[in-house]
Amino acid sequence: PVDVSIHTLQSSSLRPASSWEISFPQGVVWGLMGCVMAFGTSITAERSRGTLQRLTIAPVTKSDILAGKALACFITCVIVQCIMLGMAVLVFGVRPSNPLMMAASIAVTSLGFVGVMMLIAGMSRTEGSAQGLARALLLILAMIGGGSVPTFFLPAIIQKFSLISPFTWAMRALEGALWRHYSWPEFALPAGILLAIAAVGYIVGVTGLRWGENA
């Protein structure tokens, strides 16, 4: 009277292979936050002490000086991510599903956080205000962007607010190359948003930055 059929259930490939694949992007965004705080406050400190103003007597333009600061921040962000990726692969057995996309994720994520750094530097007038702004703003953005708890565990209303956080898009770019198996068109959305953050942050930061010691 009972007809029993047996079917093999296939597990979804769009799942992380281990908890480390979730923790790795979270660790990356906290490392990037440290880079942003360090470089953002250093630019403000140099402006307050008159260092930036004295640099203007050198045979370089102001754009060259700021571009050098941005480049140093970018390289540091890339190094931090590469070190953490190396530890994830060698120690915890994490394997990116698309190594080329992972390299692109590291690049666009670094650029996005350079824009955040320049924005903080341009909005701050003293070293103390830069530190306070960086802590207050970045901690909130990191928390709603998946830095503490993955966004898919957050309430629906918080998930909507998380879309304003650069941490959200950094996490999506990294996860897309790690375990979400993004196609390149799918990767284009977080990558494009991070590049837009980089451009807007850099322009606003450069426009708002004051060079004089008492500006």
Side-chain angles (χ1 to χ4, degrees):
V2 178
D3 184 14
V4 178
S5 59
I6 300 176
H7 301 277
T8 302
L9 298 178
Q10 300 293 333
S11 62
S12 174
S13 61
L14 298 180
R15 294 172 61 90
S18 69
S19 59
W20 297 114
E21 294 189 352
I22 297 177
S23 300
F24 165 68
Q26 290 180 311
V28 166
V29 297
W30 286 104
L32 293 174
M33 187 175 74
C35 296
V36 169
M37 293 180 64
F39 278 90
T41 55
S42 70
I43 291 178
T44 308
E46 290 176 358
R47 187 202 63 80
S48 300
R49 297 166 187 169
T51 305
L52 288 182
Q53 192 174 33
R54 289 192 291 273
L55 285 174
T56 57
I57 66 174
V60 292
T61 65
K62 293 180 178 180
S63 298
D64 293 334
I65 295 172
L66 293 180
K69 292 287 186 181
L71 179 60
C73 182
F74 172 79
I75 293 174
T76 304
C77 290
V78 170
I79 292 174
V80 167
Q81 292 185 81
C82 289
I83 291 174
M84 298 191 70
L85 178 61
M87 290 183 61
V89 171
L90 297 176
V91 179
F92 302 109
V94 173
R95 295 292 183 270
S97 63
N98 189 329
L100 182 59
M101 187 178 293
M102 177 58 71
S105 299
I106 290 175
V108 297
T109 299
S110 299
L111 287 171
F113 278 82
V114 168
V116 174
M117 182 275 293
M118 292 299 300
L119 180 64
I120 291 175
M123 294 173 60
S124 305
R125 293 294 172 263
T126 65
E127 185 176 359
S129 66
Q131 292 177 348
L133 177 62
R135 290 193 183 99
L137 180 62
L138 294 179
L139 281 175
I140 293 174
L141 292 177
M143 292 178 68
I144 68 173
S148 297
V149 178
T151 53
F152 47 81
F153 287 135
L154 296 175
I157 185 66
I158 302 299
Q159 291 186 30
K160 293 181 179 179
F161 280 115
S162 71
L163 298 179
I164 66 174
S165 172
F167 292 88
T168 297
W169 301 107
M171 294 276 290
R172 291 192 182 184
L174 293 168
E175 289 176 351
L178 194 63
W179 59 268
R180 290 186 183 273
H181 302 277
Y182 274 3
S183 64
W184 285 103
E186 290 174 320
F187 175 75
L189 176 61
I193 291 176
L194 287 168
L195 292 176
I197 292 172
V200 173
Y202 188 85
I203 293 172
V204 174
V206 169
T207 303
L209 187 66
R210 298 295 182 268
W211 288 77
E213 184 177 359
N214 299 317

